[in-house]
């Protein structure tokens, strides 16, 4: 399935627009692996947008980018846009697009429609689709949109310029069609209910929300609203409808950026809108009276020490089902803390009946220990302030949160107030399938359930490490969750969006921003220039992204999402070539702008990471990138990448292979100086998985990662998957299962939040992430215990090598692009029954002990000694009675 027609030699050029600006590909190689006069292979040109089937460029003309008329837009400004239309009948259809920088909330006649957009590169923004067919009716209708401009950058919004664009095609029952587009006929209002120019919540969270209901123009989004002199005709800030907001003339003064119209475009959203569900069931857990010795504002803005005294008490009394009365006490304020059954991601909302001017600080937290700190203000300033108008107020945050605990600090009231309808409007990806995994092992089941719930929290418009802290899309450790997404949900749209959007973050030095689209590494580039941080774009995450791209092709058999990314992978490969040191290896220190991470728990010194990094790069070149090059018809590139990987592996052996111990030692060059031997799970696991140990000597590496001696550095949970992959390959699955029971099953987050935590040890009431993308248990259910592996792209062929260990009952579904594999296993070791169903059209072979007596035809796959591959029939259930499993 070659794409050479897109990347023929005659289409190569020496300059390639890879990351928004032309990057010069020099005539001669500067890397140390080639002669100085060797001509560098030209990088293929990215395909024109017309060929990106998942990223269709769209022109929203005659719609134009509009904004409130102003000459300066402060950070965290909210603008309200409204347009009134009169319809003679209820429309038959109403489809269109909407896009805003940075966030929008759309309502029709006061009814909530949707929130957006998805995080995206500012040069290639993705417009959300609209279906307003069920919202518009005959008579007067109001299309209303609240738009928040971050300005200062956010974990999910790297940079931008303010703007709003809207296009709707309406088809009436009589067949007539007309358009509603954003232009100067829309009214706009600067919403002072949110103070323009308010400070950031935290480095990676832009909006520290303060909402004053007394200043909000209630009813503005309903028919019949009479606008006053606070409303102006919106101003048009673009001459185009096909370019993103960074190409506008909007008065952005914080960055003074300007988009290159030749490279920038608006594209159609490539994943569906998120599903939103209201969930209640919050329980009051504790309450206290607070006496402020200093103004409360001082504390919330600056966390001033010794700002208050408190008394545990009963200021909150339940007076009905889900309704609480908060009593008043002179000179004291009330704090009531509620918990939910599990951690979720969504918009907190509640109703409070209170006097005008009552102030509510709503705080959220992932993990709280009752009896601990009286304020839940220890998680990156995760609080929102609401100021009440007289009577009943219905509040909801503008941006979503990730939490299990919610606290209401209520002050400035002189009569009892009533708090009710505490809920979360949970947001989740509209998955095609619901994970189906069951085992009678209660601890393992609990870990599996926590993994699935964590995936609900991490995988939305983008896949992130944890929604409560950063919300950034990472490759490397963060993208492991893609494996679980493929199998658990049978989804390929989100992985496709990942390999495209993450690939857009290629820097001019050839290294991908390790979190993109996101603000973090963009800011770190500036800090790195001034030597104010140790963090630069992480090289090993770029290596991981090459693997991600290969896995996408392996799982789906498609290259559509890779057509824009592929040339960027080659530019990164050139960076690797140019980075070689005199030892023939890529250094892990003094790389300039980029940095090397690998892991932060497994190593005592930075230089100890070189072995793991270079084995990782060698494996990527040989097992991923070289194969992608062949798929795209670039055999010359394939050979160069393959040869580079082989040579890198040889150099690793020379420097780090201990011929006596028959294992890679990550501090071998300095062992005498350091007076100890150090191993790392990452390098040992990589050497096992990709057969990098000389002469196949894997035994000692497998023994070390199974027994975990003191001289072995163990990675943090997200990177634990490498060790588990290696153990599964070495037929040591029982070590993995035991680890899941003991290490993962006892995690505080698993027990309390039904989630997976970031670190092996976490504490309550801290900045630790309790819902983090460490999905090893879920991945290993498929890769290790079921042992499913695509052999040919798009599951043209796969193998299944089950390793149930001591599990006695397991049933599960593994979703693939060829259909769903259904697997059931019962019985104890050496007396098991497996029932399996393979979908029609799938070529699948099961690997079993050669002594098994099964009524199956022998397969053709080469397997290890003592095993035989058997061809599984398709379209029906097969029951196997196994004595050696």
């Amino acid at each position: 399935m070659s794409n050479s027609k897109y990347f023929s030699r005659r289409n190569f050029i020496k300059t390639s627009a890879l990351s928004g600006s032309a990057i010069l590909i020099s005539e001669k190689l500067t890397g140390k692996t080639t002669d100085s006069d060797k001509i560098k292979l030209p990088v293929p040109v990215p395909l024109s947008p017309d060929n990106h089937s998942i990223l269709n460029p769209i022109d929203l003309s005659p719609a134009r980018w509009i904004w409130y008329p102003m000459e300066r837009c402060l950070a965290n400004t909210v603008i309200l846009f409204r347009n009134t239309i009169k319809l003679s009948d209820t429309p038959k259809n109403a489809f269109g697009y909407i896009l805003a920088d940075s966030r929008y909330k759309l309502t029709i006649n006061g009814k909530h429609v949707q929130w957006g957009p998805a995080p995206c590169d500012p040069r290639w923004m993705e417009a959300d689709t609209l279906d307003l067919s069920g919202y518009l009716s005959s008579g007067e209708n109001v299309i209303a949109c609240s738009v928040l401009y971050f300005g200062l950058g956010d974990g999910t919004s790297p940079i931008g310029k303010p703007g709003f664009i809207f296009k709707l095609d309406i088809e009436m029952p009589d067949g007539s069609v007309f358009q509603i587009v954003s232009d100067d006929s829309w009214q706009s209002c600067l919403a002072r209910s949110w103070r323009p120019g308010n400070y950031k919540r935290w480095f990676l969270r832009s909006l520290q929300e303060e909402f004053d209901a007394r200043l909000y123009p209630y009813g503005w989004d309903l028919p019949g609203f009479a606008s006053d002199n606070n409303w102006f005709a919106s101003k048009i800030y673009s001459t185009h409808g096909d370019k993103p907001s960074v190409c506008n003339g909007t008065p952005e003064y914080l960055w003074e950026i300007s988009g290159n119209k030749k490279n920038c475009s608006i594209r159609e959203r490539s994943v569906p809108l998120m599903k939103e569900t209201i969930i209640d069931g919050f329980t009051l857990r504790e309450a206290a009276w607070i006496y402020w010795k200093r103004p409360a504002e001082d504390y919330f803005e600056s966390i001033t020490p010794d700002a208050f005294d408190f008394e545990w008490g009963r200021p909150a009394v339940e007076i009905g089902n889900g309704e609480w009365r908060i009593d008043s006490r002179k000179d004291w304020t009330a704090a009531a803390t509620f918990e939910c059954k599990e951690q979720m991601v969504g918009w907190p909302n509640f109703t409070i009946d209170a006097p005008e001017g009552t102030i509510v600080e709503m705080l959220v937290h992932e993990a709280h220990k009752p009896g601990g700190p009286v304020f839940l203000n220890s998680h990156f300033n995760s609080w929102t302030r609401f100021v009440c108008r007289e009577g009943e107020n219905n509040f909801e945050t503008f941006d979503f949160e990730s939490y299990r605990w919610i606290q209401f600090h209520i002050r400035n009231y002189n009569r009892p107030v009533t708090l009710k309808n505490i809920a979360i409007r949970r947001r989740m990806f509209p998955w095609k399938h619901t994970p189906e995994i069951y085992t009678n092992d209660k601890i393992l089941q609990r870990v599996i359930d926590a993994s699935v719930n964590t995936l609900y929290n991490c995988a939305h418009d983008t896949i992130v490490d944890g929604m409560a802290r950063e919300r950034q899309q990472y490759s490397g450790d963060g993208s492991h969750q893609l494996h679980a997404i493929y199998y658990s949900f049978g989804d390929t749209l989100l992985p496709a969006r990942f390999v495209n959007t993450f690939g857009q973050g290629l820097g001019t030095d050839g290294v991908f921003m390790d979190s993109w689209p996101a603000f973090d590494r963009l800011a770190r580039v500036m800090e790195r220039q001034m030597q104010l941080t140790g963090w630069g774009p992480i090289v090993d995450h770029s290596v991981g992204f090459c693997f991600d791209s290969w896995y996408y092709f392996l799982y789906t058999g498609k290259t559509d999402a890779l057509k824009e990314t592929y040339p960027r992978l080659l530019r990164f490969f050139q960076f690797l070539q140019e980075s070689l040191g005199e030892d023939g290896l890529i250094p892990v220190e003094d790389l300039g702008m980029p940095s090397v991470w690998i892991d932060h728990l497994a190593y005592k010194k930075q230089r100890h990471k070189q072995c793991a990094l270079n084995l990782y790069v060698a494996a990527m070149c040989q097992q991923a990138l070289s194969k992608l090059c062949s798929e795209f018809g670039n055999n010359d590139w394939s050979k160069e990448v393959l040869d580079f990987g082989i040579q890198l592996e040889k150099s690793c052996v020379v420097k780090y292979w201990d011929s006596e111990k028959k294992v890679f030692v990550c501090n071998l060059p300095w062992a005498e100086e350091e007076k100890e031997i150090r191993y790392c799970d990452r390098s040992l696991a990589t050497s096992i998985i990709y057969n990098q140990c000389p002469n196949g000597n894997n035994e000692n590496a497998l023994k070390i990662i199974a027994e975990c001696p003191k001289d072995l550095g163990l990675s943090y949970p997200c990177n634990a998957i490498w060790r588990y992959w290696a153990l599964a390959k070495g037929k040591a699955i029982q070590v993995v299962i035991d680890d899941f029971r003991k290490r993962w099953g006892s995690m505080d987050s698993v027990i309390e939040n039904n989630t997976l935590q970031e670190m092996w040890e976490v504490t309550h009431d801290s900045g630790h992430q309790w819902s983090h993308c460490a999905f090893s248990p879920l991945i290993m259910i498929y890769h290790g215990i079921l042992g499913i592996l695509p052999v040919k792209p798009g599951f043209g062929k796969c193998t299944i090598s089950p390793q149930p260990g001591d599990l006695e009952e397991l049933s599960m579904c593994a979703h693939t692009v060829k259909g769903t594999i259904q697997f059931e296993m019962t019985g104890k070791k050496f007396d098991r029954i497996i029932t399996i169903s393979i979908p029609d059209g799938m070529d699948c072979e099961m690997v079993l002990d050669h002594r098994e007596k099964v009524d199956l035809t022998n397969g053709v796959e080469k397997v290890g000694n003592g095993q035989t591959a058997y061809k599984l029939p398709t379209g029906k259930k097969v029951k196997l009675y196994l004595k050696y499993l």
Side-chain angles (χ1 to χ4, degrees):
M1 149 174 195
S2 174
N3 285 280
S4 57
K5 63 180 179 179
Y6 297 126
F7 292 109
S8 62
R9 293 285 298 183
R10 64 178 177 269
N11 285 333
F12 291 177
I13 60 173
K14 292 190 175 94
T15 57
S16 178
L18 298 178
S19 59
S21 59
I23 295 177
L24 183 63
I25 305 301
S26 62
E27 288 286 345
K28 298 185 181 293
L29 275 168
T30 57
K32 295 181 175 61
T33 57
T34 58
D35 297 330
S36 61
D37 59 348
K38 181 178 178 181
I39 300 300
K40 197 174 211 180
L41 287 174
V43 175
V45 181
L47 293 185
S48 70
D50 294 339
N51 291 306
H52 303 157
S53 63
I54 70 161
L55 293 165
N56 298 319
I58 54 176
D59 188 347
L60 302 184
S61 299
R64 294 291 183 260
W65 285 94
I66 61 173
W67 198 247
Y68 181 82
M70 56 171 59
E71 294 185 11
R72 182 173 78 154
C73 185
L74 302 180
N76 288 326
T77 288
V78 176
I79 304 297
L80 309 179
F81 295 95
R82 72 188 307 269
N83 193 338
T84 301
I85 59 174
K86 291 185 178 181
L87 300 174
S88 59
D89 201 347
T90 298
K92 179 180 178 181
N93 292 307
F95 300 116
Y97 295 94
I98 182 174
L99 181 57
D101 192 326
S102 307
R103 295 287 183 266
Y104 73 81
K105 281 188 176 183
L106 176 68
T107 65
I108 302 296
N109 299 326
K111 185 177 181 179
H112 173 79
V113 178
Q114 64 192 50
W115 180 98
C120 48
D121 190 299
R123 296 162 295 183
W124 301 290
M125 299 181 77
E126 294 183 30
D128 292 338
T129 55
L130 286 173
D131 182 358
L132 303 183
S133 304
Y135 293 89
L136 299 173
S137 58
S138 61
E140 187 175 298
N141 294 265
V142 175
I143 302 171
C145 196
S146 306
V147 180
L148 163 67
Y149 171 60
F150 284 147
L152 295 172
D154 184 80
T156 57
S157 181
I159 199 169
K161 298 180 75 171
F164 170 65
I165 191 167
F166 179 97
K167 180 181 180 181
L168 186 69
D169 293 310
I170 299 177
E171 181 184 0
M172 301 301 287
D174 62 4
S176 60
V177 176
F178 63 97
Q179 286 185 334
I180 303 295
V181 298
S182 50
D183 55 23
D184 54 10
S185 69
W186 287 61
Q187 290 185 302
S188 59
C189 173
L190 176 61
R192 293 204 166 273
S193 40
W194 294 274
R195 180 163 63 89
N198 203 19
Y199 48 84
K200 291 182 73 169
R201 173 187 284 193
W202 177 58
F203 170 56
L204 294 179
R205 292 294 301 279
S206 188
L207 180 63
Q208 183 74 78
E209 185 175 5
E210 297 186 40
F211 176 80
D212 191 335
R214 300 170 299 178
L215 302 178
Y216 188 69
Y218 284 95
W220 72 277
D221 54 354
L222 295 171
F225 175 76
S227 58
D228 57 20
N229 58 6
N230 291 315
W231 291 84
F232 291 87
S234 298
K235 184 174 179 178
I236 297 174
Y237 281 97
S238 72
T239 59
H240 49 77
D242 64 335
K243 303 299 178 185
S245 60
V246 291
C247 297
N248 293 345
T250 326
E252 176 278 318
Y253 75 104
L254 293 160
W255 296 100
E256 292 194 356
I257 58 176
S258 59
N260 185 338
K261 292 182 181 180
K262 293 182 180 180
N263 296 322
C264 298
S265 64
I266 294 177
R267 298 174 176 183
E268 186 175 19
R269 182 185 176 103
S270 55
V271 295
L273 293 166
M274 299 301 100
K275 180 178 68 175
E276 298 174 8
T277 308
I278 298 293
I279 297 175
D280 54 18
F282 285 81
T283 303
L284 179 66
R285 188 59 187 270
E286 63 185 7
W289 292 106
I290 309 294
Y291 178 79
W292 288 99
K293 297 189 287 184
R294 297 190 55 80
E297 286 78 8
D298 285 7
Y299 169 79
F300 282 102
E301 292 171 0
S302 308
I303 316 181
T304 309
D306 195 29
F308 60 86
D309 290 328
F310 70 94
E311 294 177 3
W312 295 113
R314 299 289 297 173
V317 179
E318 189 165 13
I319 57 176
N321 186 21
E323 184 173 354
W324 291 268
R325 184 186 73 244
I326 312 296
D327 292 326
S328 60
R329 180 180 176 186
K330 186 179 180 181
D331 298 328
W332 291 73
T333 65
T337 305
F338 297 79
E339 66 174 325
C340 191
K341 63 178 182 178
E342 64 183 4
Q343 186 169 344
M344 292 179 282
V345 172
W347 290 267
N349 52 84
F350 64 97
T351 300
I352 184 170
D353 187 308
E356 180 176 351
T358 299
I359 299 173
V360 181
E361 275 96 13
M362 186 205 74
L363 302 91
V364 295
H365 209 296
E366 294 186 89
H368 172 61
K369 189 172 185 178
V374 68
F375 269 126
L376 304 188
N377 195 29
S378 54
H379 202 282
F380 304 97
N381 309 297
S382 298
W383 58 265
T384 300
R385 177 174 293 142
F386 298 100
V387 182
C388 299
R389 61 175 180 168
E390 177 63 39
E392 190 168 275
N393 296 261
N394 298 305
F395 290 131
E396 182 175 82
T397 58
F398 199 103
D399 208 351
F400 57 82
E401 304 281 3
S402 178
Y403 65 102
R404 188 169 83 87
W405 295 84
I406 186 168
Q407 182 180 75
F408 301 94
H409 171 243
I410 306 172
R411 58 192 175 95
N412 201 38
Y413 63 104
N414 55 14
R415 63 166 172 84
V417 303
T418 303
L419 188 64
K420 62 181 180 180
N421 301 334
I422 302 172
I424 178 173
R425 183 155 56 90
R426 188 173 195 181
R427 101 190 281 262
M428 288 175 54
F429 192 91
W431 300 110
K432 184 178 180 181
H433 299 282
T434 300
E436 299 177 53
I437 306 172
Y438 169 77
T439 175
N440 65 337
D441 187 310
K442 293 183 179 179
I443 296 177
L444 185 57
Q445 186 67 52
R446 184 169 66 189
V447 173
I448 292 169
D449 293 343
S451 300
V452 171
N453 187 53
T454 307
L455 199 51
Y456 288 154
N457 292 342
C458 285
H460 288 199
D461 318 88
T462 51
I463 61 164
V464 306
D465 64 339
M467 288 292 188
R469 187 181 67 196
E470 295 180 37
R471 304 184 176 182
Q472 303 200 122
Q473 179 172 258
Y474 285 91
S475 184
D477 53 345
S479 59
H480 294 323
Q481 62 188 289
L482 290 170
H483 294 293
I485 289 172
Y486 289 118
Y487 284 126
S488 296
F489 300 113
D491 177 68
T492 60
L493 293 177
L494 197 56
R497 187 172 196 270
F498 171 81
V499 296
N500 188 268
T501 56
F502 188 90
Q504 292 168 345
L506 182 73
T508 55
D509 57 358
V511 178
F512 294 94
M513 302 288 181
D514 57 284
S515 53
W516 195 260
F519 176 71
D520 189 332
R521 287 309 181 266
L522 199 61
R524 300 300 187 195
V525 167
M526 174 178 63
E527 295 170 359
R528 190 80 163 167
Q529 288 282 2
M530 302 299 295
Q531 300 178 340
L532 298 176
T533 182
W535 292 104
I538 296 177
V539 173
D540 39 293
H541 278 196
S542 293
V543 178
F545 182 57
C546 294
F547 270 116
D548 298 331
S549 300
W550 165 249
Y551 284 134
Y552 172 77
F553 175 62
L554 190 60
Y555 279 110
T556 68
K558 297 180 180 181
T559 57
D560 290 338
L562 298 173
K563 290 174 182 176
E564 186 177 15
T565 294
Y566 168 64
R568 294 172 177 150
L569 302 181
L570 297 185
R571 178 64 186 93
F572 168 63
F573 171 72
Q574 290 181 331
F575 165 83
L576 296 174
Q577 285 182 308
E578 295 159 4
S579 299
L580 286 185
E582 294 181 358
D583 57 0
L585 296 172
I586 300 166
V588 293
E589 298 175 292
D590 302 323
L591 272 170
M593 183 64 67
S595 60
V596 172
W597 176 59
I598 296 290
D599 197 83
H600 54 286
L601 296 183
Y603 302 93
K604 287 187 174 181
K605 296 184 178 181
Q606 179 69 15
R607 63 188 184 185
H608 295 174
K609 300 177 181 180
Q610 188 183 36
C611 179
L613 173 69
N614 282 270
L615 289 176
Y616 190 29
V617 174
M620 179 274 291
C621 290
Q622 297 175 67
Q623 303 298 328
L625 186 54
S626 63
K627 295 180 179 181
L628 275 180
C629 291
S630 295
E631 178 57 30
F632 278 102
N634 300 143
N635 293 327
D636 44 4
W637 269 103
S638 179
K639 184 179 185 306
E640 178 146 338
V641 173
L642 181 63
D643 290 347
F644 181 79
I646 292 172
Q647 186 57 48
L648 209 59
E649 184 178 315
K650 290 179 180 178
S651 298
C652 253
V653 171
V654 169
K655 188 170 183 177
Y656 290 102
W657 178 258
D658 189 316
S659 56
E660 291 184 9
K661 294 182 172 58
K662 292 183 170 55
V663 72
F664 284 100
V665 177
C666 67
N667 75 328
L668 187 61
W670 314 282
E672 185 175 345
E673 170 193 338
E674 295 173 359
K675 296 182 173 53
E676 66 173 342
I677 288 291
R678 293 294 301 171
Y679 306 107
C680 72
D681 59 350
R682 184 67 175 273
S683 60
L684 299 187
T686 305
S687 69
I688 294 170
I689 296 167
Y690 298 107
N691 304 312
Q692 294 170 319
C693 297
N695 302 315
N697 287 315
N698 288 346
E699 294 81 4
N700 287 348
L702 187 63
K703 183 175 185 292
I704 291 171
I705 63 171
E707 297 178 355
C708 297
K710 290 189 298 183
D711 46 14
L712 172 67
L714 282 172
S715 299
Y716 89 132
C718 239
N719 278 331
I721 187 62
W722 292 96
R723 174 172 170 257
Y724 297 143
W725 276 329
L727 288 167
K729 182 174 181 178
K731 305 302 178 185
I733 198 66
Q734 192 58 52
V735 177
V736 179
I737 293 173
D738 289 342
D739 222 34
F740 289 159
R741 290 191 184 116
K742 297 174 185 177
R743 188 187 292 262
W744 296 75
S746 62
M747 282 183 171
D748 291 334
S749 65
V750 170
I751 296 169
E752 297 180 28
N753 286 29
N754 194 30
T755 53
L756 302 176
Q757 62 203 44
E758 181 182 20
M759 299 296 179
W760 295 116
E761 301 293 333
V762 293
T763 56
H764 296 81
D765 300 292
S766 71
H768 287 157
Q769 285 205 96
W770 282 53
S771 183
H772 187 262
C773 60
F775 290 105
S776 294
L778 196 55
I779 296 169
M780 290 309 297
I781 288 291
Y782 300 102
H783 284 178
I785 294 174
L786 177 60
I788 181 172
L789 175 70
V791 176
K792 294 182 180 179
F795 278 85
K797 185 171 187 178
C798 71
T799 57
I800 295 177
S801 308
Q803 292 187 74
D806 63 359
L807 297 180
E808 297 180 7
E809 190 173 345
L810 176 67
S811 64
M812 60 184 295
C813 291
H815 303 289
T816 76
V817 293
K818 290 286 188 181
T820 300
I821 297 172
Q822 296 178 318
F823 177 88
E824 294 181 21
M825 185 277 298
T826 58
K828 295 183 178 181
K829 195 171 184 179
F830 305 125
D831 185 21
R832 288 197 163 111
I833 300 173
I834 283 181
T835 304
I836 190 166
S837 177
I838 304 298
D840 287 331
M842 176 179 284
D843 184 358
C844 181
E845 295 183 11
M846 178 173 277
V847 179
L848 298 171
D849 190 290
H850 75 284
R851 295 170 293 178
E852 299 287 6
K853 305 297 182 183
V854 293
D855 187 19
L856 295 172
T857 304
N858 281 17
V860 299
E861 286 298 310
K862 294 181 180 180
V863 294
N865 294 333
Q867 295 179 311
T868 301
Y870 299 94
K871 188 174 180 59
L872 289 171
T874 62
K876 65 178 183 179
K877 286 187 177 181
V878 176
K879 184 172 285 189
L880 304 173
Y881 298 86
L882 305 175
K883 297 296 183 182
Y884 300 96
L885 186 65

